[in-house]
Amino acid sequence: MAETYPIGEGDMLFGKPCAARRVYSVEALRRDLGLGYRQTLELLQANGFLTSGGDVGKGALLDAQALKPIVERFSGAICQVAAQRRVNAPRAQFDALVAGGILSPIAGSPVGRPYYDEGQLDAFLASIKPRVEVGEGDGGAERLVGIQTTCRKAVAGAADVVRLIQKGALKTVAKSSEESGYLAMRLDPQEVAAALCLLKPEGYLRSTLARYLGINETAVRYLVEAGYLTQVRARHPHSRKSIRVVTYESVDRFLERYVPCKHLAEFVGEGTRSVGDQFEAIGLKPIPLSPAGRGRVFLRADVSCGLRERGNRLRSLKHDDIAWPDL
């Protein structure tokens, strides 16, 4: 008996078009996505529809229902080179915007070959729309420079500067009559630098976090190296120098599972050493903090008042006020 396959959308059955697609051939999928054959195979492999990069043939059939999310996300998607042209941003600046979370490739893009949604790119351009247009000879325009120069003079990352524009934190946002898109932006570096001083890094310096947790910096360093906490690069809000901060998110995750002895002592109104000794006397051991580490941290689930302490702290916890009290 001859092998048969479900009918696909656009095919004819008894002279009438089918209403819904049941299967996709690789070639039909390629046409709908607007990609090349090899790029389509890479996309299928990256999303688990193919187990190898081998040539499966343009006529190979795939379940259209399973592929529906891929088709919805990637139809009309453009590669990174085309995305850079669309926003008119150099490769380094584009990469900085992606690293800073301003732009993001479509989820499920093949490794090393990101694709971008044109709608997201257009929304980004709309979010940094300049207020005025200036020409090279306009009065006062000499103090305004492009966004790349602004980043260098203000010692700032492209993502930080873009966020200031998007939040409306800058009075001077102009457009060069000679350029378009991202490279057309003209800003005052001094205004940007002043505005950046108001931005608090979303994380703790090791010294500040050590005081907050009641341990020493060596212990904090160990917790970072052991994977308990996550440390990332940021800019100091005053000096704009590169610094490392422990992210608020990782501190939240850590405090969900562990409780510093200092926090327990504050909750019960006793001394830190006394509380720690009481817990160890009943057999509770703190987690290791390296030989040179100082301070004690317990598993929250082992401590009778651990959950109540966490609930009480959540009502007043504001990381910004703890990490950067002077800003």
Side-chain angles (χ1 to χ4, degrees):
M1 180 181 292
E3 190 171 7
T4 60
Y5 299 101
I7 301 297
E9 185 178 9
D11 289 334
M12 302 296 290
L13 183 63
F14 303 121
K16 297 181 180 180
C18 295
R21 177 180 287 280
R22 299 282 300 280
V23 296
Y24 257 118
S25 68
V26 176
E27 175 61 19
L29 179 63
R30 181 198 71 77
R31 290 196 307 267
D32 279 8
L33 293 176
L35 300 177
Y37 177 60
R38 287 294 170 189
Q39 287 78 12
T40 303
L41 292 183
E42 288 177 352
L43 186 61
L44 289 171
Q45 187 178 0
N47 288 275
F49 289 95
L50 297 179
T51 57
S52 70
D55 191 331
V56 298
K58 296 183 179 182
L61 296 178
L62 300 164
D63 182 1
Q65 189 63 31
L67 282 170
K68 186 177 179 180
I70 302 298
V71 175
E72 290 176 348
R73 290 204 306 269
F74 287 90
S75 291
I78 58 176
C79 67
Q80 179 159 326
V81 173
Q84 289 171 213
R85 285 198 299 265
R86 192 174 187 90
V87 300
N88 192 26
R91 172 66 182 270
Q93 291 282 297
F94 192 92
D95 288 346
L97 294 174
V98 172
I102 300 294
L103 297 174
S104 56
I106 299 173
S109 292
V111 175
R113 192 190 291 275
Y115 289 96
Y116 293 85
D117 178 75
E118 290 181 327
Q120 183 200 51
L121 300 176
D122 291 342
F124 162 68
L125 289 175
S127 74
I128 59 170
K129 186 176 180 180
R131 299 188 179 95
V132 296
E133 183 170 311
V134 295
E136 299 303 323
D138 289 353
E142 64 275 359
R143 80 181 193 282
L144 305 181
V145 295
I147 199 163
Q148 296 178 94
T149 305
T150 297
C151 290
R152 177 174 55 81
K153 289 188 173 185
V155 195
D160 287 339
V161 176
V162 166
R163 285 194 178 95
L164 288 177
I165 299 171
Q166 292 174 330
K167 291 177 181 178
L170 302 176
K171 294 180 180 178
T172 309
V173 182
K175 175 186 182 298
S176 168
S177 58
E178 311 295 323
E179 288 277 9
S180 64
Y182 181 80
L183 286 182
M185 305 300 299
R186 293 295 180 267
L187 307 168
D188 182 345
Q190 291 185 346
E191 184 188 4
V192 170
L196 285 169
C197 288
L198 302 176
L199 292 182
K200 302 176 183 180
E202 304 235 340
Y204 289 85
L205 293 171
R206 279 205 305 257
S207 57
T208 309
L209 183 59
R211 289 194 297 272
Y212 174 55
L213 298 181
I215 58 181
N216 64 359
E217 286 190 55
T218 302
V220 174
R221 186 181 299 111
Y222 169 79
L223 291 174
V224 170
E225 293 172 351
Y228 291 93
L229 298 169
T230 302
Q231 191 171 251
V232 298
R233 287 201 174 276
R235 293 281 181 187
H236 193 281
H238 291 311
S239 69
R240 304 306 300 159
K241 290 182 178 179
S242 178
I243 57 174
R244 288 183 177 275
V245 297
V246 179
T247 65
Y248 293 158
E249 183 182 6
S250 70
V251 173
D252 283 336
R253 288 198 306 267
F254 179 77
L255 291 178
E256 283 177 5
R257 188 172 185 188
Y258 304 99
V259 55
C261 191
K262 178 187 177 184
H263 291 185
L264 291 170
E266 292 171 348
F267 182 67
V268 298
E270 297 184 24
T272 301
R273 178 176 295 181
S274 172
V275 170
D277 290 346
Q278 290 176 43
F279 281 125
E280 292 207 47
I282 61 174
L284 296 182
K285 296 296 182 183
I287 64 174
L289 296 176
S290 79
R294 295 291 180 268
R296 286 180 279 196
V297 177
F298 294 93
L299 190 65
R300 190 175 291 276
D302 291 343
V303 180
S304 58
C305 62
L307 293 179
R308 286 188 290 122
E309 189 281 332
R310 178 63 174 151
N312 182 71
R313 187 167 296 274
L314 283 175
R315 286 193 289 272
S316 60
L317 178 61
K318 293 183 179 179
H319 287 304
D320 275 350
D321 294 341
I322 300 169
W324 306 99
D326 298 330
L327 292 181

